[in-house]
Amino acid sequence: MALASTANSALDFGPASALSCRECGTRYDLGPIFACIECFGPLEVAYDFGPVTREEIAAGPTNIWRYSKLLPVPGNVETRPNLQPGWTKLVKADNLAGELGLRSLYIKDDSGNPTHSFKDRVVAIALEAARNFGFHTLSCSSTGNLAGAVGAAAARAGLDSCVFIPSNLEEAKITMASVYGGRLVAIDGTYDEVNRFCSELIGDELGEKWGFVNVNLRPYYAEGSKTLAYEIAEQLGWRIPDQIVIPVASGSQLTKIDKGFRELIKLGLVEDKPYKIFGAQAEGCSPVSSAYKAGHDVVQPVKPDTIAKSLAIGNPADGPYVLDIARRTGGAVEDVNDREVVDAIRLLARTEGIFAETAGGVTVGVLRKLTESGALDPEAETVVLNTGDGLKTLDAVAAEARPAAVIRPSLAAFRTAFAN
Amino acid sequence: MALASTANSALDFGPASALSCRECGTRYDLGPIFACIECFGPLEVAYDFGPVTREEIAAGPTNIWRYSKLLPVPGNVETRPNLQPGWTKLVKADNLAGELGLRSLYIKDDSGNPTHSFKDRVVAIALEAARNFGFHTLSCSSTGNLAGAVGAAAARAGLDSCVFIPSNLEEAKITMASVYGGRLVAIDGTYDEVNRFCSELIGDELGEKWGFVNVNLRPYYAEGSKTLAYEIAEQLGWRIPDQIVIPVASGSQLTKIDKGFRELIKLGLVEDKPYKIFGAQAEGCSPVSSAYKAGHDVVQPVKPDTIAKSLAIGNPADGPYVLDIARRTGGAVEDVNDREVVDAIRLLARTEGIFAETAGGVTVGVLRKLTESGALDPEAETVVLNTGDGLKTLDAVAAEARPAAVIRPSLAAFRTAFAN
């Protein structure tokens, strides 16, 4: 039974049937809403899935639309202008596994997305919701990656964009976010302040007809992260890994990967088996990790201070759900300091030729820490996520990643520099 | 008949049967050689192709190895650690086409490669040659993109690397090239001086057992660019486009795309039809464009001065072949100035959500110029290449791609900044 009747027969969200409150289960018709009016809990997309086969999926496009029957998007989504994110590489990381003493390790490398972060996945779903609701402007609050993803997606789709960022972001992310021609607004404040400002804007006439991908379109947007779970399972040969290490910013991605795995099991696309989910944070913004270690169910907000700016969300909306999933699956939430983040970026680059942004340094650093502490089983099949690109956070390694020498173009100069 | 007998039965180059002089046709056994001892002409790979079908290719991996039967690589190349480049998106660019007045335009977006430039393609082939010849170090002279591609490929493959760059490169490219843990050597000099130095090093005992991907492995390396032709044709539904705009640095890429198209025709994988190839240079390094316009067959070297550093090769080895192909196919070679490069980067970003490096600004700028001049047929199916990523050449647009405003997080501040 749908409580708020915003039903519109022109809407086409494919298999999505309603929004459902994660806390109290109240159902709503599909609309640009994100919080339960009964209990203020977050809303998420509920589905009536039809039959889906592995063969059908394998015959689909090499992007997230191969899973369109599992997402809140119309059946013809492929034919509409969008960035076609996803189907990024799952890299068998034997060199890194060898260094860490793991038997079987894979890196899901989402730096291969169009704007080089996993955000292209979630924005692509939000874009379809914006089209459904007739919004003309795509908007967001962002720690950087999302700003670029929204700007690029809006450009391809022919929508306006207006994105809001904290003014202290990395230069690369600022330039990238504004090059697509939309409006970029820098806010003197933390990400959490930017986020609160966006919520205000939605209530104002200024924000009418605006789709804030991570606010009023959040239920749809968040579903995009399920595609990480689908791809990992399919790329492993339709199998869920034993252990997976996922970065935690708002926590949404981790909860949706868990949701994706459970859907695959329910649909009979993979075998039902246990898996452990581990969350990774930076020490300078580790409210969820702190709560996990203290045995708490609630998350105490913090003021972020870390080089991992894409994870610098001090008041993570899905923190409690992350705690629940880590505990339920037998995983954990751990954090690493900025020095360990830089070391992990360099370790990953040196062993696998993958240049990750600081968020990837956090997950690989936590992978190392959890392996050393024995929390991860070295014999179990393990996946670690890299959700962004090192080119966007060059400052983290620039001081250390320098030429070995600057010489004149002569053999003599080369000999002098490198003969010992 | 093979002239220089370096035959080694342990070598496995798949369908490649020999090296052949592009000038005089003298044939050599496959080896780490690059110039004809008869006439000093460049050597290229000759093949004995077996039967290849579209179906077989379509069933292959979603990277360049789907074409392994058309490349100088062993049949099991897929199973060896490498970056798995290729199968990048061919984007139907309706927004850009609309702005330029073209009927049917596609962008082959090679920023989607693992290190975000087309160089991953050529390095992957050179890596297999290095393995075949037992080299322990992968090396190159580079204008930046190649340095990153070699560093990353060597890291994944477990080889050492030592790469040489001009010391004035973009910071992003320097950091990226050194983060993979190999040895990065900056040379006080132009790319052409770096290149000459590498040739010296190969003749020296210091460079023994080194595979310089673009010098002693160049015949193999260059073949990697054929995969751009294969992918474009396959992604168009096994059809060669009517017109294609390709950047010209050394000119190798353009000549190999032409070779790739001709192979597809010869193998019966596409229909035989005419196509026009257009070369694109930056005005500040336009020796091939100048020769084309002057009606010359030879290319006069220049000292580069352009923001398009990845194309800044003043003495392009394959320049004469580019001239020949442009003239034979009814194409042209054109150049644009730095201002037009920046405008084209922003045009592409604004219309299609693709953030190209300066080389992509050169091709899109030349596309625009050739359309306006009438040299390109607006009714014909057209492909333009973007070979690199805007994150590596941020300086080109950083001054112009800025936030529209910096404000405090309040509706009042937003209204003040953006009212009317």
Side-chain angles (χ1 to χ4, degrees):
Chain A
M1 187 199 76
L3 213 149
S5 186
T6 55
N8 181 338
S9 61
L11 297 181
D12 184 353
F13 281 101
S17 53
L19 296 179
S20 163
C21 175
R22 185 147 184 167
E23 288 298 324
C24 72
T26 303
R27 287 171 78 88
Y28 299 83
D29 286 329
L30 294 161
I33 50 175
F34 55 103
C36 179
I37 55 175
E38 299 291 308
C39 76
F40 305 108
L43 302 183
E44 66 175 354
V45 175
Y47 299 89
D48 282 330
F49 290 131
V52 187
T53 67
R54 293 181 182 180
E55 292 67 29
E56 236 180 300
I57 291 171
T62 51
N63 55 53
I64 60 171
W65 305 132
R66 66 202 280 113
Y67 308 109
S68 61
K69 289 175 115 179
L70 305 176
L71 296 168
V73 296
N76 70 345
V77 62
E78 256 195 89
T79 64
R80 301 149 73 118
N82 71 84
L83 295 180
Q84 303 176 310
W87 203 244
T88 56
K89 296 184 199 305
L90 183 74
V91 175
K92 183 105 170 59
D94 290 339
N95 299 334
L96 180 58
E99 292 241 0
L100 299 181
L102 294 166
R103 190 183 56 77
S104 174
L105 176 65
Y106 294 84
I107 299 157
K108 181 60 175 172
D109 185 11
D110 246 19
S111 67
N113 274 313
T115 70
H116 307 323
S117 89
F118 93 98
K119 292 291 187 183
D120 292 322
R121 298 177 183 273
V122 286
V123 170
I125 311 291
L127 169 62
E128 287 308 315
R131 282 172 162 152
N132 255 313
F133 298 132
F135 293 152
H136 55 62
T137 298
L138 218 52
S139 183
C140 68
S141 52
S142 171
T143 55
N145 281 324
L146 183 56
V150 165
R156 178 76 59 86
L159 298 185
D160 291 335
S161 68
C162 181
V163 306
F164 299 91
I165 55 169
S167 57
N168 71 343
L169 277 195
E170 297 94 342
E171 275 303 307
K173 288 181 179 166
I174 291 178
T175 302
M176 191 175 190
S178 54
V179 78
Y180 301 108
R183 188 191 286 173
L184 177 73
V185 181
I187 302 274
D188 272 330
T190 63
Y191 172 75
D192 298 286
E193 288 172 291
V194 178
N195 218 6
R196 272 198 300 277
F197 167 73
C198 287
S199 298
E200 259 189 279
L201 198 47
I202 287 171
D204 192 271
E205 58 178 3
L206 282 170
E208 242 185 323
K209 292 281 174 190
W210 285 26
F212 287 80
V213 300
N214 56 346
V215 189
N216 59 347
L217 300 179
R218 189 171 186 84
Y220 310 93
Y221 162 91
E223 294 294 290
S225 288
K226 292 195 310 178
T227 59
L228 278 161
Y230 303 153
E231 290 182 16
I232 289 167
E234 183 178 356
Q235 289 170 323
L236 285 175
W238 293 107
R239 188 172 70 237
I240 295 176
D242 300 322
Q243 314 179 119
I244 181 165
V245 181
I246 303 169
V248 175
S250 75
S252 168
Q253 185 185 64
L254 186 145
T255 68
K256 294 299 179 175
I257 290 175
D258 178 55
K259 185 181 182 188
F261 285 153
R262 286 185 288 116
E263 285 174 349
L264 293 180
I265 291 170
K266 207 169 148 194
L267 288 161
L269 289 166
V270 299
E271 198 191 329
D272 190 358
K273 69 176 275 280
Y275 57 86
K276 295 182 180 183
I277 291 189
F278 295 83
Q281 296 207 296
E283 191 181 277
C285 183
S286 52
V288 187
S289 168
S290 300
Y292 176 83
K293 291 174 184 173
H296 294 163
D297 292 333
V298 293
V299 172
Q300 194 69 37
V302 300
K303 195 166 157 61
D305 178 20
T306 168
I307 58 171
K309 290 182 184 167
S310 64
L311 303 183
I313 297 184
N315 188 13
D318 288 320
Y321 303 119
V322 169
L323 292 171
D324 180 53
I325 290 167
R327 286 172 181 144
R328 174 169 53 74
T329 65
V333 188
E334 186 52 274
D335 55 87
V336 284
N337 64 37
D338 285 356
R339 180 66 249 168
E340 292 169 309
V341 170
V342 173
D343 288 346
I345 290 172
R346 300 187 69 188
L347 173 67
L348 179 63
R350 176 170 60 77
T351 53
E352 299 297 340
I354 294 172
F355 183 23
E357 73 151 56
T358 44
V362 168
T363 51
V364 172
V366 163
L367 173 78
R368 171 148 73 176
K369 194 165 178 178
L370 291 171
T371 305
E372 287 167 0
S373 74
L376 279 169
D377 177 358
E379 293 300 313
E381 186 166 72
T382 306
V383 172
V384 62
L385 263 60
N386 171 40
T387 52
D389 202 292
L391 285 173
K392 296 195 200 176
T393 57
L394 286 170
D395 286 351
V397 296
E400 300 175 22
R402 301 296 308 162
V406 182
I407 62 170
R408 285 162 29 79
S410 81
L411 285 178
F414 185 70
R415 271 185 221 281
T416 306
F418 295 105
N420 28 24
Chain B
M1 185 201 77
L3 211 150
S5 185
T6 56
N8 180 338
S9 61
L11 298 181
D12 184 353
F13 281 100
S17 54
L19 294 179
S20 163
C21 176
R22 186 147 183 165
E23 288 298 325
C24 71
T26 303
R27 285 171 78 89
Y28 298 84
D29 286 330
L30 294 160
I33 51 176
F34 54 104
C36 179
I37 56 176
E38 299 291 308
C39 75
F40 304 109
L43 302 183
E44 66 175 356
V45 175
Y47 299 90
D48 282 331
F49 290 132
V52 187
T53 66
R54 293 180 181 180
E55 292 67 29
E56 237 179 301
I57 290 170
T62 50
N63 56 53
I64 59 170
W65 307 132
R66 66 201 281 114
Y67 308 108
S68 60
K69 289 175 117 179
L70 305 176
L71 297 168
V73 296
N76 69 347
V77 61
E78 256 195 89
T79 64
R80 301 150 73 120
N82 71 83
L83 295 181
Q84 303 176 310
W87 202 244
T88 56
K89 295 183 200 306
L90 184 73
V91 175
K92 183 106 172 57
D94 290 338
N95 299 335
L96 180 57
E99 292 241 359
L100 298 181
L102 293 166
R103 191 183 56 78
S104 174
L105 175 67
Y106 294 85
I107 298 157
K108 180 61 175 171
D109 184 13
D110 247 18
S111 67
N113 274 312
T115 69
H116 306 322
S117 88
F118 92 97
K119 292 291 187 184
D120 291 322
R121 298 177 183 272
V122 286
V123 170
I125 311 291
L127 169 62
E128 287 307 314
R131 282 172 163 151
N132 255 315
F133 298 132
F135 293 152
H136 55 61
T137 299
L138 219 52
S139 185
C140 67
S141 52
S142 171
T143 53
N145 281 323
L146 183 57
V150 165
R156 178 75 60 85
L159 298 184
D160 291 334
S161 68
C162 183
V163 306
F164 299 92
I165 54 170
S167 57
N168 72 342
L169 277 195
E170 296 94 341
E171 276 303 306
K173 287 181 180 167
I174 291 178
T175 302
M176 191 176 191
S178 55
V179 79
Y180 302 108
R183 190 191 286 174
L184 177 73
V185 181
I187 302 274
D188 272 330
T190 63
Y191 172 75
D192 298 287
E193 289 174 290
V194 178
N195 218 7
R196 275 198 298 277
F197 167 74
C198 287
S199 298
E200 262 190 274
L201 198 47
I202 287 172
D204 192 90
E205 58 178 3
L206 282 170
E208 239 185 323
K209 293 281 175 191
W210 286 26
F212 287 79
V213 299
N214 54 345
V215 190
N216 59 347
L217 301 179
R218 189 171 186 84
Y220 310 93
Y221 163 91
E223 294 293 291
S225 288
K226 292 195 308 177
T227 59
L228 279 163
Y230 302 153
E231 290 183 15
I232 289 166
E234 184 178 355
Q235 290 171 322
L236 285 175
W238 294 107
R239 188 173 69 236
I240 296 177
D242 300 321
Q243 314 178 119
I244 180 166
V245 181
I246 303 169
V248 174
S250 74
S252 167
Q253 185 185 65
L254 185 146
T255 68
K256 295 299 180 176
I257 289 176
D258 178 56
K259 185 180 182 188
F261 285 153
R262 285 186 288 116
E263 285 175 349
L264 293 180
I265 292 171
K266 206 169 148 193
L267 289 161
L269 289 166
V270 297
E271 197 191 329
D272 190 358
K273 68 175 274 281
Y275 56 87
K276 296 182 179 183
I277 292 189
F278 296 82
Q281 296 207 296
E283 190 182 278
C285 182
S286 52
V288 187
S289 168
S290 300
Y292 176 82
K293 292 173 183 175
H296 294 164
D297 292 334
V298 293
V299 172
Q300 196 68 36
V302 300
K303 196 166 157 60
D305 178 19
T306 168
I307 58 170
K309 290 183 184 167
S310 63
L311 302 182
I313 297 183
N315 188 12
D318 288 321
Y321 303 120
V322 169
L323 292 172
D324 181 52
I325 290 167
R327 287 172 181 145
R328 175 169 53 74
T329 65
V333 188
E334 186 52 274
D335 56 86
V336 283
N337 64 37
D338 285 357
R339 181 65 251 169
E340 292 169 308
V341 170
V342 172
D343 288 345
I345 291 173
R346 298 187 70 189
L347 173 67
L348 179 62
R350 177 170 59 78
T351 53
E352 299 298 340
I354 294 172
F355 184 22
E357 72 152 57
T358 44
V362 169
T363 50
V364 172
V366 163
L367 173 78
R368 172 149 71 176
K369 194 165 179 177
L370 291 171
T371 305
E372 287 167 359
S373 75
L376 279 169
D377 176 359
E379 292 301 313
E381 186 166 72
T382 306
V383 172
V384 61
L385 263 59
N386 171 39
T387 53
D389 202 292
L391 285 172
K392 296 193 198 177
T393 57
L394 286 171
D395 286 351
V397 294
E400 299 174 24
R402 302 296 307 162
V406 183
I407 63 170
R408 286 163 29 80
S410 80
L411 285 179
F414 184 71
R415 270 184 221 281
T416 307
F418 295 104
N420 56 30

